[in-house]
């Protein structure tokens, strides 16, 4: 068996075109342009690159973006005051604080200050907890991207065995909750898991977000499994690879995401979508597909 490759770039492009259409409708019918505010504290080059990419993607799809840069030694109170200002600004529908933050700033205090109706990253405890209880306003972007890819490829979720490798708050735990909400049987594996292969071999759908290159080799994958690689690892030779031995595993899987070009392009796409949805909600526009997450 040779897996079909899930082209995340193409799916992201298609979705962004769809969102652009919805956005034009919002502007034409309601005179409303969605707005995203991004706060960047300090000058971490990776964070700067992520923020640049987010701002650029907003411009391409027609979302107004506001970029707020603060020095690395900024007082926490000033960051909180900026969030208060953005919470009160009706032209801002999404607020994102780029992580990591410098150590003198308490991340949870900052994330909890963001209005839950503008928390497009889905990192506020309300949204985190809602994933468990089933009334999420904003699903976190990377797990949401994984879900959208599976949906796009018509992968059945209900009744399937899902194994998630990696138990992070940003990817592993939320993706497990989201797929469990769709009636999958889910196991979460992590650093302390004994005999990882015993679990991964049970997976109909294997989601890997461990940050370890080549962690998943063909012997660990069931023939015909769907393999979603969320890892992004830069090797010493400059190559970017995922957590899965792509060339080996693609000979066994039925569907597989490449790195780069798989889940990666979906993350910002879902940020755009969360911002669009936030703006739509302010004028009472609903979306029946969201029932998926509120079961
Ligand atoms: N830093 C790394 N990934 C992310 C993300 O998805 N959102 C934010 N706010 N910061 C990040």
């Amino acid at each position: 068996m040779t897996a079909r490759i899930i082209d995340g770039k193409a799916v992201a492009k298609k979705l962004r075109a769809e969102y652009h259409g919805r956005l034009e409708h919002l502007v034409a019918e309601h005179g409303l342009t969605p707005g995203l505010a991004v706060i960047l504290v300090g000058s971490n080059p990776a964070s700067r690159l992520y923020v640049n990419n987010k701002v650029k993607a907003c411009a391409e799809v027609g979302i107004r973006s506001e970029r707020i840069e603060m020095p690395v030694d900024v007082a926490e109170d000033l960051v909180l005051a900026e969030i208060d200002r953005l919470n009160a600004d009706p032209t801002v529908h999404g607020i994102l604080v780029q992580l990591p933050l410098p150590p003198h700033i308490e991340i949870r205090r900052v994330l909890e200050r963001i209005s839950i109706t503008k928390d497009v990253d889905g990192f506020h405890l309300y949204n985190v907890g809602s994933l468990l209880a089933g009334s999420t306003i904003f699903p976190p972007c990377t797990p949401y991207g994984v879900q959208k890819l599976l949906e796009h490829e018509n992968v059945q979720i209900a009744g399937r065995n899902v194994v998630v490798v990696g138990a992070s708050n940003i990817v592993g735990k939320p993706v497990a909750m989201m797929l469990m909400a769709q009636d999958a049987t889910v196991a979460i594996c992590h650093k302390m898991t004994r005999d990882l292969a015993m679990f991964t071999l049970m997976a109909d759908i294997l989601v890997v977000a461990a940050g370890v290159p080549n962690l998943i080799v063909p012997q660990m994958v069931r023939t015909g499994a769907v393999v979603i690689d969320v890892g992004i690892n830069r090797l010493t030779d400059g190559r970017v690879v995922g957590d899965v031995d792509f060339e080996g595993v693609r000979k066994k899987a039925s569907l597989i995401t490449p790195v780069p070009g798989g889940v990666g392009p979906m993350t910002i796409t879902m940020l755009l979508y969360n911002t669009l949805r936030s703006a739509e909600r302010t004028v009472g526009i609903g979306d029946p597909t969201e029932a998926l997450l509120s079961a």
Side-chain angles (χ1 to χ4, degrees):
M1 170 171 275
T2 302
R4 190 155 56 78
I5 295 170
I6 302 177
D7 185 347
K9 225 166 140 177
V11 178
K13 192 170 167 201
K14 190 175 142 204
L15 288 174
R16 288 185 197 195
E18 192 186 310
Y19 302 158
H20 179 67
R22 274 168 68 165
L23 207 134
E24 284 189 322
H25 171 82
L26 205 55
V27 175
E29 296 292 314
H30 300 273
L32 180 62
T33 302
L36 174 71
V38 183
I39 299 179
L40 174 64
V41 179
S43 53
N44 176 321
S47 290
R48 189 165 289 274
L49 181 66
Y50 284 134
V51 168
N52 286 345
N53 288 342
K54 287 169 187 175
V55 167
K56 194 165 141 236
C58 279
E60 280 165 11
V61 85
I63 291 174
R64 186 187 68 80
S65 68
E66 184 177 337
R67 178 189 169 118
I68 297 132
E69 296 207 20
M70 300 180 129
V72 69
D73 58 354
V74 68
E76 184 181 288
D77 281 352
L78 288 181
V79 179
L80 298 177
E82 194 57 29
I83 293 173
D84 289 343
R85 179 184 75 77
L86 296 166
N87 281 340
D89 183 343
T91 68
V92 171
H93 303 93
I95 303 169
L96 180 153
V97 178
Q98 187 64 31
L99 303 178
L101 288 171
H104 69 280
I105 297 180
E106 197 177 318
I107 292 181
R108 281 262 64 104
R109 204 163 20 229
V110 168
L111 296 180
E112 260 55 281
R113 192 71 160 234
I114 298 171
S115 161
I116 55 170
T117 62
K118 298 190 179 186
D119 174 36
V120 286
D121 244 343
F123 290 169
H124 187 291
L125 276 184
Y126 178 90
N127 275 311
V128 174
S130 296
L131 267 190
L132 199 70
S135 55
T136 313
I137 304 180
F138 297 108
C141 301
T142 302
Y144 202 9
V146 170
Q147 183 193 297
K148 282 278 173 194
L149 279 183
L150 293 171
E151 198 178 296
H152 183 268
E153 301 300 323
N154 292 314
V155 174
Q156 190 197 326
I157 309 288
R160 310 294 292 281
N161 289 347
V162 170
V163 176
V164 179
V165 182
S168 70
N169 288 334
I170 293 185
V171 185
K173 287 187 221 170
V175 86
M177 287 304 133
M178 288 161 93
L179 297 177
M180 196 165 75
Q182 292 176 63
D183 298 322
T185 302
V186 181
I188 307 181
C189 302
H190 46 76
K191 282 193 189 76
M192 299 296 283
T193 301
R194 285 184 291 120
D195 198 355
L196 181 61
M198 186 182 83
F199 287 91
T200 58
L201 280 168
M202 288 199 304
D204 300 311
I205 302 167
L206 181 61
V207 181
V208 193
V212 181
N214 273 314
L215 178 66
I216 304 297
V217 292
Q219 307 88 285
M220 297 167 76
V221 177
R222 178 168 164 166
T223 302
V226 174
V227 179
I228 306 292
D229 190 350
V230 191
I232 300 177
N233 307 292
R234 189 173 284 277
L235 302 181
T236 46
D237 64 7
R239 274 185 308 139
V240 173
V241 297
D243 293 350
V244 175
D245 164 14
F246 180 78
E247 286 309 324
V249 170
R250 71 183 287 198
K251 297 190 181 80
K252 253 186 127 176
S254 61
L255 271 174
I256 189 168
T257 58
V259 177
V263 175
M266 295 298 289
T267 298
I268 292 185
T269 304
M270 301 327 294
L271 172 70
L272 301 174
Y273 183 63
N274 276 345
T275 307
L276 169 64
R277 279 296 302 130
S278 181
E280 285 180 340
R281 271 190 206 109
T282 65
V283 291
I285 298 176
D287 178 350
T289 62
E290 285 184 351
L292 202 73
L293 288 163
S294 56

